[in-house]
Amino acid sequence: MDREGELSIIRAAYAKQILAAAGVDNARLDAAFSAIRREDFLGPGPWPILRWLRDYALTPDTDPVYLYTDDVVGILPERRINNGQPSLHAHLIQRASPAAGERVVHIGTGTGYYTAILAHLVGPSGRVTGIEYDSELASRAKANLAPDSNVRIVEGDGALVSFDEADVIYVNAGCTRPAESWLDRLADGGRLILPMTSDRGFGASPPEQMASAGAVFRIERRGPDYLAAWISPVAIFPCAGNRDEVSERALAEAFAKGGWQQVTRLYRDQEISEERCWVRGSRWCLAYS
Ligand SMILES: C[S@@+](CC[C@H](N)C(=O)[O-])C[C@H]1O[C@@H](n2cnc3c(N)ncnc32)[C@H](O)[C@@H]1O
């Protein structure tokens, strides 16, 4: 068997391992993780693998086999920008449930690996817009995804770049608030995957404390309403732009009091009593009922 044949078997085993680690049973997602070549998105090896959320260790050589584990890999390690953990993304993408033909916006595309997974899931009749703030990473994503006719990469701030109505908005950077534009442009029935992190959520705290400083919410639009549910703890690179001191403080206090697992609704511009709110920002809140 040639090397590419061996790697496709390794990739298929990896897909099964990471879906099992995420507790996800989804043949379409399995096919996407089996098909997309992670090595095509991470530059030339050896690659820096993040160990214990702190230090990077280079893979022993340039064999792509080392990329088919459930590890975080540095894409700009000097700035601690990483290709996220595969099982975390398997879980979050499962909850976003992108269907064939749907319109996805991926904010924080990085070099495009998970954008390619999303593009595989929506197929040729769907489309994915990847937005990346860092210009070097946006250029790398554009080059990596050039063959995918259903993908467009835009360099910019995902909270400010304008985009059409979307069925899925998949955010891959830690925010302290939802951007108005994400809530506005979520289609009826659409799903927003939103990581919210306080300033302790990435790098500032010991790993064992990070789980209580970052939470991913799934927001589903139902007409004028937004259903909300906590779906995962997270430690993730901060979103450029979509953070402010007031909501950062409110979020840190909300994490300190606990109770994010009980959130069921996101409200905009509505008077919601203090006891129903988990966290309140300017013109929005995440609430228990
Ligand atoms: C944790 S990295 C994830 C990269 C990619 N999703 C992956 O796993 O390979 C977060 C990315 O979000 C980008 N980012 C941060 N703020 C952003 C914003 N406001 N708009 C678009 N991208 C942003 C960063 O530059 C970084 O590439």
Side-chain angles (χ1 to χ4, degrees):
M1 185 183 293
D2 66 7
R3 187 64 184 137
E4 202 30 63
E6 282 172 6
L7 281 171
S8 12
I9 293 170
I10 289 164
R11 227 172 266 123
Y14 153 84
K16 297 238 173 306
Q17 299 283 0
I18 59 148
L19 264 62
V24 168
D25 179 9
N26 179 333
R28 296 177 64 248
L29 199 48
D30 183 320
F33 274 101
S34 299
I36 305 299
R37 297 158 44 103
R38 201 179 185 192
E39 61 272 34
D40 288 353
F41 295 87
L42 300 181
W47 299 276
I49 307 278
L50 190 62
R51 300 283 178 214
W52 298 104
L53 286 176
R54 283 200 185 287
D55 302 318
Y56 294 92
L58 279 183
T59 56
D61 55 48
T62 60
D63 188 335
V65 70
Y66 298 113
L67 299 177
Y68 293 105
T69 59
D70 197 16
D71 286 311
V72 169
V73 183
I75 46 180
L76 287 180
E78 63 286 5
R79 290 177 46 207
R80 299 190 75 76
I81 297 185
N82 301 316
N83 177 232
Q85 188 180 26
S87 63
L88 172 68
H89 284 271
H91 171 59
L92 300 182
I93 294 173
Q94 165 82 359
R95 298 305 307 270
S97 58
E102 284 196 324
R103 303 152 296 176
V104 176
V105 174
H106 184 193
I107 292 165
T109 277
T111 53
Y113 176 59
Y114 294 108
T115 317
I117 299 275
L118 293 163
H120 194 278
L121 288 164
V122 298
S125 61
R127 60 175 191 270
V128 182
T129 302
I131 306 176
E132 174 50 52
Y133 188 78
D134 181 274
S135 58
E136 180 193 333
L137 294 179
S139 308
R140 284 170 64 183
K142 274 182 201 165
N144 293 337
L145 291 157
D148 293 38
S149 56
N150 59 348
V151 177
R152 182 174 71 107
I153 300 296
V154 181
E155 179 188 331
D157 179 345
L160 302 178
V161 167
S162 116
F163 54 82
D164 294 338
E165 193 177 69
D167 303 295
V168 171
I169 301 177
Y170 188 62
V171 182
N172 281 177
C175 307
T176 59
R177 52 184 156 88
E180 298 254 343
S181 58
W182 301 342
L183 300 173
D184 289 342
R185 288 171 200 151
L186 201 58
D188 195 8
R191 291 82 63 200
L192 163 66
I193 302 298
L194 178 67
M196 297 190 76
T197 53
S198 76
D199 60 355
R200 304 172 125 242
F202 189 73
S205 332
E208 61 279 9
Q209 282 175 23
M210 284 190 202
S212 59
V216 186
F217 291 93
R218 177 187 192 272
I219 314 285
E220 179 173 339
R221 186 167 193 171
R222 294 270 180 88
D225 297 328
Y226 295 87
L227 309 184
W230 173 84
I231 56 171
S232 179
V234 75
I236 193 165
F237 190 79
C239 189
N242 209 32
R243 304 182 66 90
D244 65 81
E245 267 182 37
V246 175
S247 58
E248 176 116 38
R249 240 187 341 265
L251 196 57
E253 282 165 22
F255 278 122
K257 80 179 173 195
W260 54 86
Q261 295 93 336
Q262 279 76 53
V263 164
T264 59
R265 296 285 292 259
L266 181 143
Y267 292 100
R268 307 176 76 182
D269 295 323
Q270 279 159 280
E271 287 299 317
I272 305 297
S273 63
E274 202 57 47
E275 64 273 13
R276 284 172 61 197
C277 284
W278 175 64
V279 65
R280 185 197 294 281
S282 154
R283 305 179 56 202
W284 64 275
C285 75
L286 282 169
Y288 304 122
S289 62

